[in-house]
Amino acid sequence: VKAMILAAGRGERMGKLTIGTPKPLLQLGPETLIGRHLKRLAEVGVSEVVINLSHQGELIRDHLVSGRRWGLRITYSHEGEPSLDTGGGIICALPLLGNDPFLLVSADVLTDIDFSSLTFSTGKGLLVLVPNPPHHPAGDFGLTSDGQLTVTPPRLTYAGIALLDPELFRNFKPKRQPLRPIFDSAIEQGLLTGLRYDGLWLDVGTPERLEDAREVIQQREKKNL
């Protein structure tokens, strides 16, 4: 299985923290946000990772280089500026991802989910959903008892983690576009299933939530001493 990490966002909500540092390279103690993902992907047997780049992308590329420190082969999808948004970024990277289902991970989440546990037997993809955090109380998608996704309440929050078939994107033009309409179209056709995850998950989107994530990592390091 290949993986794609979405890393092209500008990180504007981080304020001065991302003036000279791309959000994926912000530190969570000994690791960066994106470095932690790369380590955990390698641990479950992923060998190839595609990373999309836009704003300050050269800093990410120069920091990660080829991925040898994790035993990974990293290729980069360069979008220029502005970025192509999440949906357009995936479509642009399809030639690098191949024809098999790939893992999709947003660079700016902290999680302990076992990436190797994600699978789907029908349809074109599986989305990971989490309980709604305080900053997103309305959620994104509903989840039926048999694992089908809906757009009706009650809703859970999309975790920024998925296992997706490239066929899901074949009918969409390569242009700047968000991911949500692509998901909504697939849900309408019954092509997406969902998985609720109640373990560690944080959206590291603001300085305050970055501090929360650092506190979590610090507490875990203390337990391991």
Side-chain angles (χ1 to χ4, degrees), residues 6-213:
L6 295 172
R10 295 184 66 88
E12 292 176 342
R13 290 179 299 167
M14 284 293 184
K16 63 181 181 180
L17 294 177
T18 50
I19 291 177
T21 303
K23 183 163 63 169
L25 295 185
L26 292 175
Q27 293 288 144
L28 287 176
E31 300 174 303
T32 62
L33 278 164
I34 197 168
R36 188 173 190 276
H37 287 314
L38 291 169
K39 176 184 176 182
R40 297 188 68 253
L41 287 167
E43 287 173 347
V44 298
V46 172
S47 59
E48 297 185 49
V49 178
V50 176
I51 300 174
N52 68 329
L53 301 177
S54 178
H55 179 64
Q56 299 188 115
E58 71 284 354
L59 298 180
I60 297 175
R61 184 193 61 231
D62 292 347
H63 179 80
L64 302 179
V65 195
S66 65
R68 286 183 181 177
R69 76 187 84 170
W70 298 279
L72 295 167
R73 177 176 178 264
I74 298 177
T75 54
Y76 297 97
S77 177
H78 298 270
E79 299 178 9
E81 291 199 51
S83 73
L84 297 174
D85 210 331
T86 48
I90 295 170
I91 293 168
C92 180
L94 287 179
L96 301 174
L97 290 166
N99 297 318
D100 296 324
F102 62 93
L103 283 163
L104 180 71
V105 183
S106 294
D108 58 354
V109 299
L110 171 66
T111 184
D112 272 352
I113 194 169
D114 179 1
F115 293 120
S116 67
S117 69
L118 305 184
T119 183
F120 61 89
S121 57
T122 61
K124 296 296 182 183
L126 172 82
L127 306 191
V128 177
L129 306 179
V130 295
N132 299 331
H135 63 273
H136 193 58
D140 298 302
F141 303 110
L143 185 63
T144 66
S145 59
D146 61 353
Q148 288 295 311
L149 288 181
T150 73
V151 295
T152 57
R155 300 185 185 96
L156 296 166
T157 291
Y158 171 52
I161 303 166
L163 180 66
L164 302 172
D165 190 319
E167 285 296 322
L168 198 65
F169 303 91
R170 298 298 186 193
N171 294 326
F172 290 87
K173 296 180 179 180
K175 62 179 182 179
R176 178 176 170 82
Q177 57 188 306
L179 188 52
R180 179 61 190 260
I182 298 174
F183 282 166
D184 286 346
S185 174
I187 290 171
E188 186 177 345
Q189 299 172 66
L191 298 177
L192 288 180
T193 55
L195 169 71
R196 175 174 174 143
Y197 178 66
D198 290 295
L200 173 63
W201 181 87
L202 289 172
D203 171 9
V204 190
T206 65
E208 294 76 19
R209 298 204 291 271
L210 176 62
E211 287 305 312
D212 290 342

